[in-house]
Amino acid sequence: MRIGFVGPYTYFENHFPENWRGRDDILCLDVDEWDYSFLTRMINFRPDLTVFYRPELYPKKYIKSITGKRVAFLSEPIQLPGQFETPESSLRSNVYSRMSWESYHYCLYYDATKKSAIEKRSWPINAYRPLPIDTSAFRPNAGRRPIDVAFIGKPTPHRVAELDFLRSTDLKFVWVAHGLSGRALAALFRRSKVVLNIHADEMPSFEPRIYLGAACGCVVLSETTGQRPEVMKESIVEYTGALDYGSIKGALRLFSSGGSQKTSVLESSSLGVGRFLQDLEAAISV
């Protein structure tokens, strides 16, 4: 079976198949938003199945020329009914307006808590599930973890307000705004004890970094997500109100207990890309 994945490496290399580089039966394409003719590589590859991350980006004329089953995996947060629209959410809504729904045979959305919002928009979503994880990279390790707290995500006013106090604490804190993915991101998490999940605009969402951090054996300390995790539940802790020193120290104590790494070893494989492809093949063949 020939399998294709399309998505910007910076964000989605974390969700490409395990050990995909160098394989003749898998093609993973980085995205060039200035020139979509890069998709001709996938057309010539003639895949049996192609998964499109950020499917709202791609022109219909290229998508429909790709053979086999085409699967859209949507992963941009959207507002719940009645929520105040922020500049971030307005931009996402505008991008989604370009989605070519008819070009895809099967559509997935990454956050089941948004089902009511999606039904209100009449989007033809077939199933809800978290983004899969490259478990060959995102796995725990037994080495030193010199970083107390890590966060990856672009600066927004809300994130800056939540995280600014960390500069004046005794905690070893790393914030990477952009450009870290795949094995480099996994290496950061595997050197960290606690991974933070702070929403860009205070809008609850089950962000992919939650499972990525937990799969590396970290404790993930998150703002309200709107749903409980399906796996690695003991490693994922929500806080309410503003982030503070006490909440982080509690997460560090939980990490020291050793439970997060044991849980990751046992449970993260259920989120692997290989497992996702097996489930997907079964679903679209029905």
Side-chain angles (χ1 to χ4, degrees):
M1 187 172 183
R2 297 170 69 80
I3 298 171
F5 277 75
V6 179
Y9 282 6
T10 302
Y11 301 103
F12 295 105
E13 189 180 4
N14 316 319
H15 313 289
F16 288 161
E18 288 86 353
N19 303 309
W20 61 273
R21 292 185 185 277
R23 289 184 56 175
D24 294 334
D25 58 340
I26 295 177
L27 176 61
C28 295
L29 286 185
D30 196 4
V31 170
D32 180 354
E33 293 188 42
W34 298 103
D35 181 5
Y36 287 99
S37 64
F38 75 91
L39 285 168
T40 57
R41 283 192 62 199
M42 191 64 74
I43 294 170
N44 294 332
F45 181 65
R46 300 191 63 80
D48 300 298
L49 169 69
T50 306
V51 177
F52 295 82
Y53 295 127
R54 293 300 307 274
E56 69 277 10
L57 295 178
Y58 314 121
K60 182 192 305 184
K61 67 176 182 178
Y62 288 111
I63 304 169
K64 287 202 166 186
S65 297
I66 296 172
T67 58
K69 295 291 186 179
R70 300 183 294 270
V71 175
F73 207 136
L74 290 80
S75 58
E76 285 292 289
I78 59 171
Q79 289 175 283
L80 291 169
Q83 277 188 325
F84 178 74
E85 186 170 69
T86 67
E88 288 276 337
S89 60
S90 177
L91 176 62
R92 292 175 187 130
S93 295
N94 182 56
V95 172
Y96 271 138
S97 69
R98 305 200 300 266
M99 177 79 176
S100 175
W101 295 104
E102 70 276 13
S103 299
Y104 300 99
H105 299 99
Y106 197 78
C107 297
L108 296 153
Y109 190 74
Y110 83 112
D111 185 352
T113 67
K114 302 299 172 60
K115 186 174 181 180
S116 62
I118 283 170
E119 289 176 344
K120 189 173 182 179
R121 289 169 168 80
S122 299
W123 288 359
I125 299 298
N126 298 99
Y128 297 82
R129 63 169 296 151
L131 284 165
I133 294 172
D134 174 1
T135 53
S136 68
F138 291 88
R139 62 185 192 277
N141 69 323
R144 286 183 63 249
R145 298 204 176 210
I147 300 168
D148 292 319
V149 187
F151 176 72
I152 182 163
K154 67 181 180 181
T156 64
H158 173 62
R159 285 171 171 167
V160 171
E162 286 288 287
L163 299 174
D164 189 60
F165 80 94
L166 285 165
R167 294 189 299 168
S168 59
T169 70
D170 59 346
L171 299 169
K172 294 176 182 175
F173 171 50
V174 173
W175 181 348
V176 178
H178 185 72
L180 201 60
S181 66
R183 293 185 180 277
L185 176 60
L188 170 65
F189 286 168
R190 283 152 55 95
R191 288 169 53 81
S192 305
K193 299 167 187 171
V194 174
V195 168
L196 296 176
N197 181 57
I198 312 295
H199 306 311
D201 50 9
E202 300 182 72
M203 186 168 64
S205 182
F206 202 92
E207 304 288 352
R209 75 173 64 85
I210 294 175
Y211 280 141
L212 293 172
C216 289
C218 306
V219 170
V220 179
L221 183 59
S222 175
E223 284 188 298
T224 301
T225 62
Q227 72 177 82
R228 288 301 299 149
E230 298 176 17
V231 295
M232 298 180 285
K233 299 175 184 178
E234 302 304 316
S235 304
I236 300 169
V237 180
E238 288 189 358
Y239 70 88
T240 56
L243 182 66
D244 58 23
Y245 185 77
S247 298
I248 293 176
K249 292 296 283 187
L252 287 168
R253 286 193 295 272
L254 180 58
F255 173 82
S256 296
S257 72
S260 59
Q261 298 203 52
K262 292 178 183 176
T263 299
S264 175
V265 170
L266 292 171
E267 298 187 32
S268 64
S269 61
S270 65
L271 293 177
V273 184
R275 170 70 175 273
F276 161 67
L277 289 171
Q278 291 175 7
D279 294 345
L280 183 59
E281 187 177 3
I284 62 180
S285 64
V286 172

